[in-house]
Structures are given as structure tokens and as C-alpha cells.
Amino acid sequence: MKKLILIVAVILANCTFTFGQDKAKSEPFNKWEIGVNAGVGNFAGEYNMHNWSPYSDADGSGQFGFGALVKKNFSHVFALEFGFNHNSLIGTGFHGFDNYSNYNFKTLTTEFDVNTVWNVNNLISKNKFDRKLYLFAKLGVGATHLSNKTGLDYNDKSKVEFPTIPLGAGVSYKISDKVRLNIGTQWSWIHGDRLDGRNTRPTTSNTSPSVNGTKLYTYAGLSFTIGKTKKPAPVVEAPKPEPKPEPKPEPKPEPKPVVKVKPAVIGNAYKVYFAFDKWNVDVKAKADLDRLAKDMNEYATVNVEIKSHTDSRGPSSYNMKLSEKRGKAVIEYLNSKGIASSRINAQAFGETQLVNKCKDGVPCKKAEHALNRRTETIVIE
């Protein structure tokens, strides 16, 4: 038992180191979740801890159970979960070596755990931040309250057993940005021998054999993300001065030459900013693009040049594709406003043209990274 507790303590220490090292990538996952679940609890046997061999002859049937959780996500790999589950364990046991006949038992278990939760997929591929479907694993420590309703006759029918070592695995599916479906199973090793409705007889007059019980809880439930992701404040640029009109030529006796005047909108620049790892055009961006579309529809001879960029976080190859998606989103929006694709020239630069110091390896604030997630549109002839 001491070895198991030491293993759990080492794992918890490693957890702190892991999410501490990965802080730069943890921003989209620094959220809380609350959840509920329902499932089936089974008596999974008793074991003699001296040789880890089956000890009890009891058989159990699955019974309805329920639980709840509160989870804090620290990174795209690691979370800490506070949870509980309540189950009825029902079955039949046989106590033959003491000349007892078959007996029925019913034991209520209420388990409280602190679990480390691991995103197994992101342990292998950390560049995928927000997965729709992923496998998870859990390991933790807790305590269990046992209450024997029926079983062999003995004293002390209600007791809290510590420690409980839960070990689980499952799959999580993203229904929406706020809701996930979780299906899993949890095996719990409980420091106590009372799950099958009986108290193990002492091997001597003063000691009891080192026998401990186990149960299995298989469940399905929903978890809900709470809190809002903070968006960086939009950067407001000072309006550029209008170009000064060229001086008119002095009148000559000859007929005045026709002077070709360039449209006033040539050289105007519009900037669109994007959320982290996103390429959708939000309300603020649409307002700026509507002004651009109005100018282009008013001056049918002008064209537009689009340059799309990302910040430095993530692989450069992924960022190049992300900047292409941002440019495409702007083109599609302008098309919807009546601007033909032949009037648009788009280029993607990924993270190669940062506007500040925030390159790979340089710590920056969120607002500084936000300045690089942009698409610039410039009106040209």
C-alpha cells in the first residue's frame, strides 16, 4: 500500500512539471469544466495484498450508479479532476471455510477522488490543440465511505476507507464548444475488505490479513465548459491623411490635355484581425471589409492586394496553411459583396513577417501575439 501511495505522489509531481513546461501552449485550455454521469457499478473482487491473489468467493451483479466532477484544464495534455461516484454493490458470497452457507450482500459505496486526467492523443501529437474526439486516462487518490445494508452479521457496518486508488480510461467527444460527451470506466482499489458484505476474520487474535476490495464503475455523462475566452482588444490605428491633389497645369493656348486622375481610394489599407488558431471573419472584421467592398464597388477600375499572416506559435508549415485559410476567408467575404475574384490578388506569409519581437522562443503577452494574427488589404490600380 505504501508503494502505491508513493507512485501516485510521484505522478502528481510529474504532472506539475509537465503543464508548467507547456504553459505557452495552454491558453485555449485554461478552463473549468463541471459534469455529471450515470453508469453501472460492479463488485470486482477482493485480493490478498501479500501475494495479490483472489480472496473472496463473492459474485456481484451490475447496479445503477451516478457521479459528478469538477475539472480544471491546465494544458492541452493535463487536467486535475475532483469527482465522486455513488454505487450499490449487490451479489452473493460464500464463506465455506467458516462453514457458512451462501449469503446475499448489499453495500453502498460513496467514493471521493482527486484524479490526474491525461489527453492520450495530445501526448503523441501536441500540435493539435482542440480535438473533436480524444482518448483520456485517469489516475488519482481518494477515500470511500462504505455502508453495508445486508451481509454477514458483524459490528461497525459504516466506515470510511483510505486510501482509494482509482484508475480509469475512456473517450471524450466534443458536441459543441461548451459541451462534451464522456464515456469511460474506472477501476477502484479500496483499502478495506467489506465490499462483499463481510468482515474478514483475523488470522491471529490481534491482526487481520491484508485484504482489500475492488469495484468497477462504467459510465456515460456530459461535461460543460464554464467561463469565456478573453479576446485581445482590437488595435485602433490613426486614419491616414488623404493624398494631396496634384497641382493643375498652367493653361496653354493649345487645347488642354486630358489629365487622368487616379481614384482617391488607391493606397487605402484595411486590416482584419483573427482569434488564435481561427480564420473566421468576426463582426468587427466584417465592418471593415464592408467599407472596402463599398469603395471597390464605387471605383470599378481598382483592385485589391491581400496579405495574410499568423503569430509564431505552432509549426511554421501549419501557420502557412492557416494564413492561406485566412486569406481565403477574406476573398469569400468580398465575393459575397459583389467583388469578382479577378480583382483580388492574395498572398500568404505565415509567421515570416511579424510586426514585433514575438518570434519563436521569445515570451510575449497575448495582446502582442494578437498583433501578428492579421490580414492586410491594400487598394491598388
Side-chain angles (χ1 to χ4, degrees):
M1 181 183 71
K2 292 182 178 180
K3 291 183 178 179
L4 286 173
I5 295 175
L6 179 60
I7 290 171
V8 173
V10 171
I11 291 174
L12 290 175
N14 286 334
C15 295
T16 303
F17 178 78
T18 299
F19 69 75
Q21 291 293 315
D22 210 19
K23 184 176 180 182
K25 294 186 178 180
S26 66
E27 295 172 4
F29 297 88
N30 191 16
K31 298 178 182 178
W32 288 89
E33 290 182 44
I34 58 175
V36 293
N37 58 68
V40 176
N42 292 85
F43 173 71
E46 287 185 344
Y47 296 87
N48 188 323
M49 300 307 291
H50 292 300
N51 56 17
W52 197 249
S53 60
Y55 192 86
S56 173
D57 294 324
D59 294 320
S61 59
Q63 296 294 315
F64 173 79
F66 60 88
L69 62 89
V70 177
K71 184 166 70 173
K72 171 65 172 177
N73 296 286
F74 290 96
S75 75
H76 60 295
V77 175
F78 172 76
L80 194 63
E81 175 186 281
F82 304 88
F84 92 95
N85 62 78
H86 178 80
N87 302 274
S88 296
L89 305 181
I90 297 176
T92 302
F94 181 72
H95 206 15
F97 59 83
D98 276 344
N99 296 321
Y100 284 93
S101 60
N102 291 349
Y103 64 94
N104 295 324
F105 66 87
K106 179 179 180 180
T107 305
L108 302 183
T109 68
T110 304
E111 181 180 340
F112 297 89
D113 301 320
V114 179
N115 292 315
T116 62
V117 185
W118 301 88
N119 185 319
V120 177
N121 297 74
N122 282 341
L123 281 171
I124 302 171
S125 176
K126 294 186 178 182
N127 291 331
K128 182 66 176 177
F129 287 110
D130 198 6
R131 294 182 183 273
K132 193 173 186 67
L133 181 71
Y134 66 84
L135 301 175
F136 64 84
K138 298 197 295 186
L139 177 64
V141 65
T144 303
H145 178 263
L146 304 180
S147 178
N148 295 113
K149 298 302 181 183
T150 60
L152 295 181
D153 186 22
Y154 64 93
N155 295 325
D156 191 16
K157 293 187 176 182
S158 179
K159 190 176 181 182
V160 175
E161 300 288 3
F162 178 86
T164 294
I165 305 298
L167 177 65
V171 62
S172 180
Y173 175 76
K174 181 179 179 181
I175 299 175
S176 69
D177 289 340
K178 293 288 186 180
V179 182
R180 280 194 171 273
L181 172 65
N182 304 300
I183 300 174
T185 187
Q186 179 173 311
W187 179 88
S188 298
W189 176 86
I190 300 172
H191 182 57
D193 64 341
R194 299 150 45 78
L195 296 184
D196 62 349
R198 67 183 176 89
N199 190 12
T200 304
R201 305 266 179 187
T203 55
T204 68
S205 59
N206 297 319
T207 62
S208 296
S210 180
V211 177
N212 296 276
T214 59
K215 74 169 186 178
L216 191 67
Y217 178 51
T218 303
Y219 60 90
L222 297 175
S223 61
F224 306 88
T225 301
I226 57 178
K228 296 182 179 180
T229 303
K230 294 183 179 180
K231 297 182 179 180
V235 178
V236 180
E237 293 189 350
K240 293 186 176 181
E242 292 291 331
K244 296 181 179 180
E246 296 181 0
K248 294 182 179 180
E250 293 292 332
K252 295 181 180 180
E254 299 82 18
K256 294 181 180 180
V258 177
V259 179
K260 185 179 180 181
V261 180
K262 294 182 179 180
V265 295
I266 291 178
N268 284 3
Y270 306 81
K271 289 189 179 181
V272 176
Y273 292 90
F274 296 87
F276 179 73
D277 200 23
K278 302 295 183 182
W279 59 86
N280 57 297
V281 179
D282 61 17
V283 176
K284 173 65 172 60
K286 287 180 180 179
D288 293 334
L289 293 177
D290 286 343
R291 292 193 296 107
L292 172 60
K294 179 178 178 298
D295 291 340
M296 294 189 70
N297 283 322
E298 184 176 351
Y299 298 94
T301 61
V302 301
N303 298 321
V304 68
E305 184 176 23
I306 296 176
K307 298 180 180 180
S308 298
H309 309 267
T310 70
D311 62 29
S312 61
R313 292 175 293 178
S316 59
S317 58
Y318 177 81
N319 285 337
M320 183 61 70
K321 293 180 180 179
L322 179 59
S323 63
E324 291 174 358
K325 292 179 180 179
R326 289 174 175 172
K328 184 178 179 181
V330 173
I331 292 173
E332 291 175 351
Y333 187 83
L334 292 177
N335 290 158
S336 70
K337 297 299 179 178
I339 307 303
S341 297
S342 61
R343 301 176 63 190
I344 303 172
N345 178 28
Q347 293 177 285
F349 295 91
E351 62 181 74
T352 62
Q353 295 187 2
L354 304 176
V355 299
N356 52 29
K357 65 177 181 178
C358 299
K359 61 182 180 180
D360 290 338
V362 177
C364 288
K365 297 180 179 179
K366 294 180 181 179
E368 293 176 313
H369 281 301
L371 294 176
N372 292 312
R373 300 192 299 267
R374 69 200 190 279
T375 290
E376 302 170 343
T377 58
I378 303 173
V379 178
I380 61 175
E381 290 185 289

